[in-house]
């Protein structure tokens, strides 16, 4: 589903943020991405979402070579990816319901269906009672969960999350990770960037470790799971 | 691609359009004061050329009643008797391009009494000082031809022995038609200039609007909205601005016409004309509204395109 081949990324006027990254993620796989701050986790996710272009190497998503994709098709690529952002990226002048419904409106779905799906997504993140609230009246954790609802509402085949537990307490973080696992069991390819090593260990999934822009470790799920028990 | 999937796509596109349509209305109503001010500026800008156009239109109507404006008034010599006047009228009527109507001194006095309001004072004259008078009307198809005919005819009449004074109204008429020609050109110039102004005003308003909603545009683009989805609400907004501006211009125009109608009627009555100010007809109203909407659309397009291009070149600001 996602393949990196000798990918390097250099921001103009900075050192390499990513250097010669190679990995492959099968459809329906789940992987955690970890590493110190500034290791390049966000950059790696941004490459998949076409927010940046690789300086060298190739990124393939669902068989499509992103560096050879015309900018016109960028929206299509993004519509197939649910992204949870480190800073939520909610629209403050729209209610929770309207924020979550945006991907479906972009897809041109019927309003009756939108309503059902948005409710279901909000229910999954435990915010159904807040559908009429404004994002700024919610706590950081609640906003984060609205962002998650928006990412999953369109049922994209790929889910990317950048520090989704940044504002959540350990209890909520665990619940969230198991929600990801649940989606993954339904066939969604999931990639989660996180600092939370203890939580990652507890999940027993494949882990990619970044350091200084290099991929220094790729722990298979089997090993990871063995370590848990 | 199957017919079914094509149909589904069309339906999805229609729903997106509807969403943009309503969201543009929502944002207009959300900033009522700003919307009102923009529409006011647009309305006034559009009312000016429209007003001039309507004025000219009415003047041209006047021009069309040329048979009266082109009439030559011929005062015969004092010595000319009724028989002489009849003889002269017959001479004029023999010409193919003109016809004459006689007014006797008594008729003339009667008329003068009515129009001037001197009434009894005129009885002081021992005998009627007015000569026999002829109203000579040339026959002509249009005002251009009429002008030439009147000139020739007046020259011919002037040479006749029986004639004292010849009065021609057509100079006035010619000036009027010259002015109308100038006015036509002015309408064109003003229309172009004020259309440009409308585009610029809408473009600037939408530019600010786009700037205010940069965050929204960025987020929409992050979750997969394409350019046309981002563009649509702004285009609708521009269209609304133009349409509302045109509507206001038409209202301003109607109010002005209503207000000007009475004094104008009085003025023209003094010339012995009955007159009704014409507004714009149904088809023209529709045209003005659509043209306004189209200009607004242009303005919005210019601004949004510029912004989207910047976005593409500079990439999305802010990182996650
Ligand atoms: N837009 C940018 N311009 C220049 N340098 C950048 C830009 N974005 C990221 N970098 C640099 O690239 C490197 C990787 O950044 P990145 O945001 O991917 O790290 P991260 O692993 O997500 O860190 P964190 O855990 O703090 O979010 C950093 O050294 C950062 O300074
Ligand atoms: Mg980061």
């Amino acid at each position: 589903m996602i393949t990196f081949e000798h990918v390097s990324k250099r921001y103009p006027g900075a050192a390499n943020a990513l250097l010669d990254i190679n990995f492959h993620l099968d459809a329906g796989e789940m992987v955690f991405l970890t590493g110190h701050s500034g290791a390049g986790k966000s950059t790696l996710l941004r490459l998949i979402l076409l927010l940046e272009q690789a300086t060298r190497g190739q990124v393939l998503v669902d068989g499509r070579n992103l560096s050879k994709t015309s900018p016109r098709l960028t929206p299509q690529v993004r519509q197939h990816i649910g992204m949870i952002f480190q800073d939520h990226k909610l629209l403050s002048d729209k209610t929770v319901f309207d924020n979550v419904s945006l991907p479906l409106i972009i897809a041109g779905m019927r309003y009756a269906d939108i309503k059902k799906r948005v409710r279901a997504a909000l229910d999954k993140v435990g915010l159904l009672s807040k559908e009429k609230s404004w994002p700024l009246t919610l706590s950081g954790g609640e906003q984060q969960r609205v962002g998650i609802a928006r990412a999953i509402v369109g049922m994209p085949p790929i889910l990317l999350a950048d520090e989704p537990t940044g504002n959540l307490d350990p209890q909520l973080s665990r619940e969230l990770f198991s929600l990801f696992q649940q989606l993954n069991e339904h066939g969604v390819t999931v990639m989660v960037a996180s600092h939370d090593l203890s939580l990652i260990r507890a999940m027993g999934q494949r882990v990619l470790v970044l350091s200084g822009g290099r991929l220094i470790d790729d722990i298979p799920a089997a090993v990871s799971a063995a370590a848990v028990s | 691609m199957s017919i079914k999937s094509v149909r589904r796509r069309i339906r999805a596109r229609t729903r997106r359009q509807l969403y943009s349509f309503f969201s543009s209305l929502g944002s207009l109503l959300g900033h009522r004061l700003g919307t009102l001010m923009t529409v006011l500026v647009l309305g006034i800008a559009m009312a000016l050329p429209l007003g001039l156009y309507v004025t000219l239109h009415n003047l041209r109507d006047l021009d069309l009643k040329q048979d009266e404006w082109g009439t030559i008034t011929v005062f015969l010599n004092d010595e000319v008797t009724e028989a002489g006047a009849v003889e002269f009228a017959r001479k004029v009527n023999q010409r193919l391009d003109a016809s004459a109507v006689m007014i006797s001194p008594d008729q003339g006095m009667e008329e003068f009494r009515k129009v001037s309001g001197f009434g009894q004072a005129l009885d002081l004259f021992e005998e009627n000082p007015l000569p026999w008078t002829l109203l000579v009307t040339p026959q002509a198809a249009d005002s251009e031809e009429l002008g030439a005919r009147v000139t020739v005819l007046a020259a011919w009449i002037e040479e006749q022995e029986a004639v004292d004074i010849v009065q021609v109204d057509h100079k006035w008429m010619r000036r009027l038609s010259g002015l109308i020609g100038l006015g036509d050109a002015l309408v064109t110039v003003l229309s172009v200039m004020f259309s440009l102004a409308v585009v610029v005003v809408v473009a600037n308003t939408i530019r600010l609007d786009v700037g205010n909603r940069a965050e929204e545009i960025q987020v929409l683009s992050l979750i997969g909205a394409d350019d046309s989805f981002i563009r649509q609400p702004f285009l609708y907004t521009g269209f609304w601005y133009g349409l509302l501006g045109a509507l206001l211009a038409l209202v301003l125009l109607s109010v002005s016409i209503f207000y000007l109608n009475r004094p104008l009627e009085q003025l023209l009555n003094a010339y012995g004309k009955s007159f009704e100010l014409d507004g714009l007809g149904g088809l023209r109203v529709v045209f003005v509204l659509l043209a306004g909407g189209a200009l607004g659309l242009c303005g919005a397009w210019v601004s949004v395109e510029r912004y989207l291009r910047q976005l593409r070149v500079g990439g999305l600001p802010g990182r996650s």
Side-chain angles (χ1 to χ4, degrees):
Chain A
M1 198 60 148
I2 299 175
T3 307
F4 275 56
E5 284 174 2
H6 303 290
V7 173
S8 297
K9 172 66 192 175
R10 180 186 206 117
Y11 289 105
N16 275 310
L18 290 176
L19 203 63
D20 196 29
I21 304 284
N22 291 286
F23 70 87
H24 174 75
L25 206 61
D26 277 328
E29 223 182 321
M30 178 161 183
V31 67
F32 285 97
L33 191 61
T34 188
H36 61 85
S37 178
K41 303 182 292 293
S42 297
T43 302
L44 195 151
L45 294 180
R46 289 169 68 83
L47 286 175
I48 300 173
L49 206 59
L50 268 170
L51 283 172
E52 304 287 352
Q53 286 275 358
T55 322
R56 215 171 288 152
Q58 323 201 355
V59 180
L60 293 121
V61 175
D62 205 4
R64 201 201 290 263
N65 188 337
L66 293 191
S67 51
K68 292 199 180 111
T69 305
S70 116
R72 255 184 344 105
L73 294 176
T74 303
Q76 266 187 32
V77 174
R78 291 186 187 154
Q79 280 168 22
H80 283 95
I81 301 174
M83 173 81 177
I84 296 156
F85 297 94
Q86 216 166 349
D87 55 355
H88 326 318
K89 297 227 179 288
L90 301 179
L91 296 177
S92 51
D93 61 346
K94 289 195 187 329
T95 61
V96 166
F97 182 97
D98 288 347
N99 264 286
V100 176
S101 67
L102 280 177
L104 304 183
I105 287 168
I106 291 171
M109 199 174 276
R110 273 176 46 204
Y111 185 70
D113 295 340
I114 291 180
K115 214 160 150 180
K116 255 184 267 165
R117 288 244 217 146
V118 170
R119 291 252 168 83
L122 283 174
D123 196 26
K124 268 213 173 96
V125 296
L127 282 179
L128 193 48
S129 59
K130 302 270 185 188
E131 63 172 337
K132 296 207 173 73
S133 306
W134 301 98
L136 292 180
T137 66
L138 302 179
S139 75
E142 286 168 334
Q143 289 182 34
Q144 184 70 286
R145 282 186 281 156
V146 175
I148 292 164
R150 187 182 63 192
I152 63 175
V153 75
M155 302 182 181
I158 300 173
L159 187 68
L160 305 178
D162 198 355
E163 303 286 356
T165 56
N167 288 303
L168 304 182
D169 58 45
Q171 165 72 22
L172 265 176
S173 302
R174 243 184 328 254
E175 276 177 34
L176 197 63
F177 274 29
S178 53
L179 172 64
F180 289 155
Q181 203 148 25
Q182 206 184 310
L183 290 166
N184 174 243
E185 277 156 16
H186 282 89
V188 180
T189 310
V190 181
M191 190 166 195
V192 182
S194 174
H195 283 124
D196 201 334
L197 280 176
S198 57
L199 200 55
I200 290 173
R201 278 202 198 99
M203 300 300 292
Q205 296 278 7
R206 182 177 171 191
V207 181
L208 298 175
V209 185
L210 283 173
S211 176
R214 286 171 189 278
L215 187 61
I216 56 164
D217 211 349
D218 184 347
I219 309 162
V223 177
S224 202
V228 175
S229 50
Chain B
M1 205 185 305
S2 72
I3 292 179
K4 213 169 158 192
S5 83
V6 169
R7 224 186 264 158
R8 196 169 45 230
R9 271 184 181 205
I10 292 176
R11 246 180 270 143
R13 181 169 298 180
T14 311
R15 284 192 207 106
R16 278 195 293 263
Q17 286 285 354
L18 278 177
Y19 174 80
S20 306
F21 179 87
F22 286 115
S23 97
S24 73
L25 276 185
S27 80
L28 280 185
L29 293 177
H31 308 98
R32 247 164 270 171
L33 189 68
T35 305
L36 201 71
M37 290 203 306
T38 306
V39 169
L40 209 63
V41 171
L42 293 177
I44 291 170
M46 290 194 238
L48 288 172
L50 274 182
L52 187 60
Y53 173 79
V54 167
T55 309
L56 287 174
H57 188 68
N58 281 296
L59 284 178
R60 196 170 293 119
D61 261 7
L62 267 188
D63 192 14
L64 285 177
K65 295 168 187 157
Q66 46 178 267
D67 51 327
E68 292 178 53
W69 293 105
T71 299
I72 304 167
T73 310
V74 184
F75 297 103
L76 300 180
N77 283 324
D78 285 343
E79 306 90 61
V80 178
T81 57
E82 177 163 6
V86 171
E87 166 66 19
F88 186 71
R90 204 177 47 77
K91 214 164 152 190
V92 173
N93 280 332
Q94 267 172 357
R95 289 180 65 110
L96 283 176
D97 58 351
S99 62
V101 175
M102 287 202 306
I103 299 175
S104 71
D106 290 344
Q107 279 174 319
M109 183 56 89
E110 201 49 43
E111 194 126 313
F112 186 58
R113 209 192 289 277
K114 258 191 270 168
V115 182
S116 67
F118 285 130
Q120 311 271 301
L122 293 174
D123 292 339
L124 294 176
F125 288 107
E126 273 173 27
E127 59 185 279
N128 191 338
L130 293 177
W132 278 85
T133 309
L134 293 184
L135 295 180
V136 180
T137 311
Q139 268 139 23
D142 56 54
S143 58
E144 202 94 331
E145 196 191 345
L146 183 72
R149 289 269 166 87
V150 167
T151 314
V152 174
L153 199 60
W156 177 78
I157 291 172
E158 193 120 55
E159 283 170 10
Q160 306 304 308
E161 240 172 77
V163 173
D164 184 16
I165 304 170
V166 177
Q167 250 182 23
V168 183
D169 273 344
H170 86 281
K171 268 190 195 138
W172 193 91
M173 208 187 68
R174 219 188 245 172
R175 279 185 205 133
L176 178 67
S177 88
L179 278 177
I180 288 177
L182 185 68
D184 276 343
L186 208 60
V187 166
T188 309
V189 171
L190 280 185
S191 298
V192 170
M193 273 175 23
F194 280 94
S195 297
L196 214 63
V198 168
V199 171
V200 169
V201 169
V202 173
N204 194 46
T205 310
I206 298 287
R207 189 180 61 83
L208 296 175
D209 202 15
V210 167
N212 287 335
R213 289 163 68 183
E215 189 205 358
E216 180 179 344
I217 293 174
Q218 185 199 341
V219 170
L220 283 174
S221 151
L222 283 178
I223 59 179
D226 56 8
D227 283 359
S228 82
F229 184 84
I230 291 171
R231 195 158 37 206
Q232 274 164 24
F234 294 107
L235 296 187
Y236 273 116
T237 306
F239 178 78
W240 291 132
Y241 278 138
L243 192 75
L244 290 175
L247 196 65
L248 180 67
L250 289 172
V251 169
L252 287 176
L253 199 66
S254 313
V255 170
S256 313
I257 288 177
F258 180 77
Y259 185 73
L260 287 179
N261 225 346
R262 275 191 65 85
L264 206 71
E265 216 171 299
Q266 272 164 8
L267 176 72
L268 287 167
N269 274 342
Y271 279 89
K273 313 254 167 218
S274 82
F275 189 70
E276 183 77 25
L277 252 185
D278 261 350
L280 287 170
L283 214 61
R284 289 210 180 86
V285 166
V286 173
F287 174 79
V288 168
L289 289 176
L290 287 183
L295 288 175
L297 198 73
C298 281
W301 183 280
V302 170
S303 275
V304 177
E305 258 334 273
R306 220 177 75 98
Y307 185 80
L308 286 176
R309 205 166 44 235
Q310 273 175 3
L311 211 63
R312 258 175 255 135
V313 173
L316 287 163
R319 47 195 212 87
S320 50

